[in-house]
DNA sequence: GAATTAATTAACAACTTGATAATTGTTAAT
DNA sequence: ATTAACAATTATCAAGTTGTTAATTAATTC
């Protein structure tokens, strides 16, 4: 190809990995969850013993996209390489292409978020050097010293994940296939103050009429209560809730 | 910079421009609107008289991003250059980076959507060669022969714009600053079948309690009715509607 | 002046939901 | 065996939402 324009010096994929951490799991008790973001600490020195670009700061996992793959594939690959996590739900959410954002050149970053369950997370801890990887509660993450423009990327990721969890059925990726109303409620509680969701009786009542959730007939668990509790699962129905309907008045 | 990787051959910005077309505007009548997408016809031959890549097909406006700008700026610039439109509401919505999507090389397309009002559209028609530019009703657009992977991009754009109009206050960009309930309803009707929005009495009642819309005190118009009609405007309030609340049962 | 039309208001029924309370099933302590 | 504890579940009420139907209002047209 004849290049009429100056072309980019690189194309990277970054990944904001979100996961749920169950804070305390006493038997027969509904879970108390927090939403966490996975970060890696950039090495202070590179292989040649020189100071590394943005070394010592915390950053999102990621790396360069190859010519043979798209950014989504690269993101999945990099996450596996850097943390051992096999991700199911990974999605593009933004592009970071401000001139000068990376002092190494004209580098375009394609940002993704991934949602993984606690279960899948355990593989990670076994697989990798834990010292350079940590989970940070989403309420604390902006206090850290972050590399490049990752503060901005993380801000955007937080706002995207909050919307995604409330406006789509993405919560299914943070739960087991079959779950109780209180487990789903615990996930949603990490990102909303909506009283219709926080109110236990109201939510237990509501879950039965949601078109995208179905009762697992005759199946119960004692994970969250001494009394056997009904299990539910997501089905394939997708819905869009307009802001022009519903209630807005507090009582 | 030392290049360890092969780098992209180009970075382009494409723009899906959406606008409302009022189908018939009898006086004293609520509008009948359709949502349209702006497409350009690619020239059959290039400057050297050779057959152009994907020439003769319909495509989204767009072009290469320069090293001194980000893709959003490039998108605004290209849209102005190609159609004369000065756009207010332009946003990134997707990346198209499949290897082989453009036979000219490794070219990454950053896709944007723009929402412009009928008023702003008039400038365009005055400004440019109308033969190569046309507005297509969103229900017809997928019938056309489209260049590159623009069919996919347009599909995604349609689904994004539908969500955006219902789940955010983006409709304000398709209306005048002050509007009647029936004008807002006409905009929303182009993208939803929700009875709570299509029902006139219900919607006229509802608009008064929406936290992100306020009455323009004492101001009316006769655009849509012989009887003077109340005007409303959007304020700055932003809301997120969870799918876990509200009604799902049809009557 | 009557007909027409869109906006507005009213009224009702069915549904939603926050609040409060009662009931149920199981475990653990007495 | 009895009781306390506790989450799940069900019940009830009040207030808000919304589809439906109908009446009222204001301006224009004939």
């Amino acid at each position: 190809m004849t290049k009429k324009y100056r072309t980019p010096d690189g194309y990277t994929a970054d990944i904001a990995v979100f996961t749920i951490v169950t804070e305390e799991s006493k038997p027969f008790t509904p879970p108390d969850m927090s939403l966490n973001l996975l970060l890696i600490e950039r090495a202070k020195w590179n292989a040649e013993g020189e100071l590394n670009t943005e070394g010592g700061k915390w950053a999102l996992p990621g790396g360069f996209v190859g010519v043979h793959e798209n950014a989504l594939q690269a993101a999945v690959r990099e996450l596996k390489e850097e943390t051992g996590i096999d991700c199911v739900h990974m999605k593009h959410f933004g592009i970071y292409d401000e001139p000068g954002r990376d002092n190494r050149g004209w580098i375009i970053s394609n940002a993704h978020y991934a949602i993984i369950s606690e279960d899948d997370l355990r593989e990670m801890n076994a697989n990798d050097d834990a010292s350079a990887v940590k989970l940070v509660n989403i309420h604390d993450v902006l206090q850290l010293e972050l590399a490049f423009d990752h503060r901005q990327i993380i801000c955007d990721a937080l706002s995207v994940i909050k919307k995604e969890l409330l406006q789509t059925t993405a919560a299914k990726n943070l739960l087991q296939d079959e779950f109780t109303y209180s487990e789903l409620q615990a996930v949603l509680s990490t990102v909303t103050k909506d009283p219709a969701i926080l109110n236990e009786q109201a939510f237990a009542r509501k879950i039965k009429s949601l078109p995208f959730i179905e009762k697992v007939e005759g199946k119960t668990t004692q994970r969250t209560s001494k009394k056997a509790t009904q299990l539910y699962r997501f089905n394939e129905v997708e819905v869009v809730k307009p802001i022009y309907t519903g209630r807005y008045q507090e009582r």
Side-chain angles (χ1 to χ4, degrees), chain A:
Chain A
M1 166 178 185
T2 329
K3 287 181 189 171
K4 299 179 185 170
Y5 301 87
R6 184 171 155 198
T7 61
D9 297 321
Y11 180 36
T12 65
D14 287 313
I15 312 113
V17 183
F18 290 95
T19 189
I20 280 289
V21 172
T22 300
E23 294 298 346
E24 37 175 348
S25 65
K26 294 180 218 145
F28 311 120
T29 305
D32 180 12
M33 299 177 169
S34 71
L35 191 61
N36 284 247
L37 176 65
L38 186 146
L39 293 176
I40 60 172
E41 190 174 17
R42 290 180 63 84
K44 284 223 169 66
W45 295 278
N46 64 17
E48 288 84 39
E50 300 158 342
L51 278 175
N52 208 359
T53 311
E54 306 267 350
K57 295 184 183 175
W58 292 93
L60 300 169
F64 283 88
V65 180
V67 67
H68 57 288
E69 64 186 351
N70 63 31
L72 182 64
Q73 291 160 347
V76 171
R77 176 179 56 72
E78 295 277 359
L79 185 60
K80 176 76 177 171
E81 287 173 13
E82 295 183 16
T83 69
I85 296 169
D86 265 317
C87 183
V88 256
H89 188 81
M90 170 110 59
K91 256 179 86 178
H92 160 84
F93 75 85
I95 279 285
Y96 297 85
D97 61 356
E98 205 59 47
R101 62 174 287 278
D102 188 319
N103 59 24
R104 294 171 296 182
W106 183 11
I107 294 184
I108 300 159
S109 168
N110 185 329
H112 298 72
Y113 66 86
I115 301 181
I116 65 165
S117 68
E118 261 179 312
D119 295 342
D120 297 339
L121 184 69
R122 283 192 205 97
E123 301 171 25
M124 186 273 292
N125 285 333
N127 233 357
D128 209 77
D129 172 22
S131 70
V133 178
K134 75 171 172 182
L135 290 175
V136 187
N137 189 302
I138 58 164
H139 298 113
D140 305 329
V141 73
L142 293 177
Q143 318 301 326
L144 295 174
E145 197 178 3
L146 299 162
F148 306 109
D149 52 359
H150 286 199
R151 169 174 300 276
Q152 184 60 53
I153 301 180
I154 289 169
C155 268
D156 296 346
L158 288 176
S159 118
V160 166
I161 194 86
K162 285 179 186 174
K163 270 196 186 170
E164 185 87 356
L165 285 176
L166 294 173
Q167 296 191 328
T168 77
T169 56
K172 74 175 135 201
N173 301 294
L174 290 171
L175 292 165
Q176 302 174 47
D177 281 351
E178 301 179 347
F179 52 87
T180 70
Y181 82 93
S182 59
E183 289 170 337
L184 173 56
Q185 191 183 28
V187 168
L188 299 178
S189 300
T190 64
V191 290
T192 189
K193 289 171 185 166
D194 192 315
I197 290 172
L198 297 186
N199 182 305
E200 283 165 41
Q201 280 86 348
F203 193 74
R205 183 172 51 190
K206 187 71 197 175
I207 197 173
K208 294 183 221 161
S209 67
L210 296 174
F212 48 87
I213 290 180
E214 60 192 27
K215 191 193 273 197
V216 184
E217 214 55 66
K219 216 165 163 197
T220 58
T221 182
Q222 279 185 298
R223 288 199 296 266
T224 62
S225 164
K226 293 162 188 166
K227 180 173 174 178
T229 308
Q230 180 62 51
L231 285 168
Y232 294 88
R233 77 162 78 88
F234 283 95
N235 60 30
E236 297 305 311
V237 175
E238 294 290 335
V239 297
V240 173
K241 271 269 128 173
I243 57 176
Y244 297 96
T245 63
R247 57 167 64 184
Y248 284 101
Q249 188 169 349
E250 303 292 321
R251 280 224 264 170

